[in-house]
Amino acid sequence: MKGPLQLAWQYVAHYRLRTLLLILALGLTLALPLAVRGLVQIAQAEMRSRAVATPLVLGAKGSPLELVLNALYFRRRGAGEIPQKQVQTIRSSGLASAIPLYVRYHAQQAPIVGTSLEYFTYRGLRIAQGRALGRLGDCVVGARVARERGWHVGGKVSSSPEQVFDLAGIYPLRMTITGVLAESGTADDQAIFVDVKTAWLIEGKAHGHEDLVKAEDPNAVLSRTDQNVVGSKAVRMFNEVTSENLKSFHFHGNPDDFPLTAILVVPKDEKAQAILLGRYQKPEAAHQLVQPGVEMDALLATLVQAERFTVVLLVVLGVVVVLISALVFALSFKMRRREFATLEDLGISRWRIATVKAAEVVMVGLLAAGLAGGITALVWRVGAGLVRMSLN
C-alpha cells in the first residue's frame, strides 16, 4: 500500500497548481454552507440572549425592530424620540423600574449612549479601570472600543458632528474618559457611555459660556442693563466641561420634554408586565411598548428561512463543483494512459493502479476538507464579533 500512496503523493505534489485549484474549489464549496450555518447559529444565540435579558422596551411608535436594535445594539438610525417624562411615568406606576437611553450621536463611529448609572447594574457591567460617571462631560468606554482606539482613563474623546459642513451646528463636545469597562462580550464593549444629560448637552439642549458680566470682548455683549446682560453670537462657548466652567453650564427648556430614543422597562413580575403591555396596546397610546424577545424571534425566523434557501443554493453549487472536479480527474487519468500502461508493463497490477488513482482523489478531498474545517473554525471564532459589528 505504501507504493501506491507514494506515487499518488508525488503526482499531487508535482502538479501543484492543478491540485491547489481543486483544493480551493472543493474546500470553499464545502465551507460555504457550513460557514453560513455557523453564522446563523451565532447570530441567533447572540441576538436572542440579549433580547431575552431585556423584558420590555418603551419607545416612539414606528418599527418595533428599529426600536429594539436601538435599545439593545445602539443602532442610531431609524429610532424615533419620546419625552423624558415617560421615565417618571413608568416609575410612578409602581409596576417597573425604568432606565433611559438616548442613542443619537457617535465619536469615531462608536455610539454614544446617554443613560443612567442603573444601566451598568442592570447589564452587570463593571469598571475595569478608573471610576464610574461622576459629572456632566464624563464618559465610560467599552473594553473593545478602548482597545481599538487606544483610549485610556484620563484621555479625551470628542463627539463627531452629524454633518461635515454644518457651520451653524453644534460644537463637538470634548469628554473626559473616567473609566474603561471590563469586557462583557456584548454590544456594550463597543459603546461610549455618558449620563443622559451629557447626551443632551451634545445635542445643544444645554451649553456653557464665559461669564457675560466679566466678558472682556465688548462684541460678546449685545445689551447690558442693571438687571440683565444679553450675549451676542460672539460670546465664547465652552466645548469641554471642567471644574472651572462646570457652573456655567445650564439647560434651556423643560427637562421633562427632552428626548430619549428608548426606555428599558424592567417589570417587578409577570403580572406587572401584563398590565403594562395592556396599557400601551391601546390605540390611543402615544408610544409603543415592545418585547425584544418576541421581535427577535420574528427576525430570526426570517433569517432562518433565508439561510435555508441560501444553503440549498450552495449545495447545488457544491454538486456542480464536485462534478466538474470529477471531470478534471477523469480527463487527467485519460491523459495519463501511457503512464499507466508503462506501469502495467513494469508488472504493476491494475488493482494497484486503481489504488493510485483513488489515493490521489482521497488526498485532494482530505486537503479540501481540512481547508473547509479551518474556515469553519475561523467563522466560529470571529463570528460573534462580526454579528455585533453588523448590528451597530
Side-chain angles (χ1 to χ4, degrees):
M1 193 65 182
K2 183 179 178 181
L5 290 176
Q6 186 175 2
L7 284 174
W9 173 251
Q10 290 295 329
Y11 185 83
V12 168
H14 180 73
Y15 293 96
R16 296 183 184 89
L17 182 58
R18 192 209 72 169
T19 302
L20 180 61
L21 291 176
L22 284 172
I23 291 172
L24 288 175
L26 291 171
L28 292 175
T29 302
L30 180 60
L32 280 174
L34 295 176
V36 169
R37 183 57 183 164
L39 279 174
V40 170
Q41 289 181 348
I42 291 170
Q44 287 177 320
E46 175 69 21
M47 296 168 70
R48 202 170 191 290
S49 63
R50 194 163 171 86
V52 170
T54 309
L56 300 171
V57 174
L58 179 66
K61 280 194 171 181
S63 169
L65 182 58
E66 290 290 350
L67 174 60
V68 170
L69 292 177
N70 177 270
L72 271 60
Y73 296 98
F74 315 131
R75 182 171 177 174
R76 293 176 286 112
R77 301 177 298 275
E81 296 179 350
I82 58 174
Q84 156 73 10
K85 61 185 176 184
Q86 287 297 318
V87 173
Q88 187 56 37
T89 300
I90 294 292
R91 291 173 178 171
S92 61
S93 70
L95 298 172
S97 58
I99 303 172
L101 288 175
Y102 191 47
V103 186
R104 185 70 70 194
Y105 301 98
H106 67 282
Q108 299 183 31
Q109 301 306 315
I112 297 175
V113 181
T115 186
S116 61
L117 293 176
E118 288 85 357
Y119 181 86
F120 301 98
T121 303
Y122 177 67
R123 291 296 189 197
L125 303 175
R126 65 179 183 85
I127 303 292
Q129 302 172 28
R131 59 173 176 81
L133 302 172
R135 70 178 187 191
L136 195 69
D138 286 352
C139 71
V140 171
V141 297
R144 183 170 180 178
V145 73
R147 183 172 59 251
E148 291 176 350
R149 307 292 198 282
W151 292 340
H152 54 83
V153 175
K156 304 292 182 179
V157 177
S158 295
S159 61
S160 302
E162 294 302 290
Q163 298 179 12
V164 178
F165 299 105
D166 187 9
L167 299 180
I170 303 162
Y171 291 111
L173 179 65
R174 197 161 181 255
M175 300 171 289
T176 302
I177 300 175
T178 62
V180 177
L181 294 171
E183 192 150 6
S184 62
T186 66
D188 299 316
D189 293 336
Q190 298 175 305
I192 302 168
F193 294 93
V194 299
D195 183 78
V196 69
K197 293 181 179 179
T198 301
W200 292 332
L201 176 59
I202 296 173
E203 182 159 312
K205 300 295 183 184
H207 65 259
H209 54 71
E210 61 180 327
D211 190 343
L212 294 177
V213 176
K214 301 177 181 179
E216 298 179 0
D217 184 1
N219 296 322
V221 179
L222 188 63
S223 65
R224 185 192 300 268
T225 64
D226 293 338
Q227 291 80 24
N228 189 32
V229 179
V230 179
S232 69
K233 292 183 179 180
V235 66
R236 184 167 63 92
M237 297 290 183
F238 298 127
N239 68 338
E240 181 179 357
V241 181
T242 65
S243 300
E244 291 75 22
N245 64 22
L246 177 61
K247 292 182 179 180
S248 72
F249 283 84
H250 51 279
F251 288 83
H252 295 277
N254 184 357
D256 286 344
D257 297 327
F258 287 174
L260 299 173
T261 52
I263 300 174
L264 302 183
V265 180
V266 187
K268 292 185 175 181
D269 49 38
E270 292 184 2
K271 181 179 179 181
Q273 178 170 323
I275 294 173
L276 287 170
L277 286 171
R279 289 181 180 179
Y280 285 92
Q281 284 178 353
K282 297 177 181 179
E284 63 272 17
H287 311 294
Q288 63 175 338
L289 187 65
V290 302
Q291 296 175 279
V294 174
E295 298 302 325
M296 281 299 173
D297 285 343
L299 175 63
L300 293 174
T302 304
L303 186 64
V304 169
Q305 290 178 354
E307 178 256 342
R308 289 173 180 170
F309 178 72
T310 302
V311 169
V312 169
L313 291 179
L314 291 175
V315 168
V316 173
L317 175 63
V319 172
V320 173
V321 171
V322 170
L323 291 175
I324 293 175
S325 300
L327 178 62
V328 170
F329 277 112
L331 292 175
S332 173
F333 295 150
K334 187 174 182 179
M335 294 174 62
R336 295 162 61 195
R337 282 183 300 180
R338 292 182 62 183
E339 174 188 337
F340 295 137
T342 301
L343 293 175
E344 288 185 21
D345 292 340
L346 293 174
I348 298 176
S349 65
R350 291 186 176 182
W351 180 85
R352 283 186 172 273
I353 293 174
T355 304
V356 171
K357 296 178 180 179
E360 291 180 17
V361 175
V362 170
M363 284 180 183
V364 171
L366 289 176
L367 290 172
L371 175 62
I375 294 174
T376 304
L378 180 63
V379 168
W380 278 100
R381 184 178 181 84
V382 304
L386 292 175
V387 170
R388 295 187 199 111
M389 289 176 63
S390 67
L391 291 171
N392 288 340

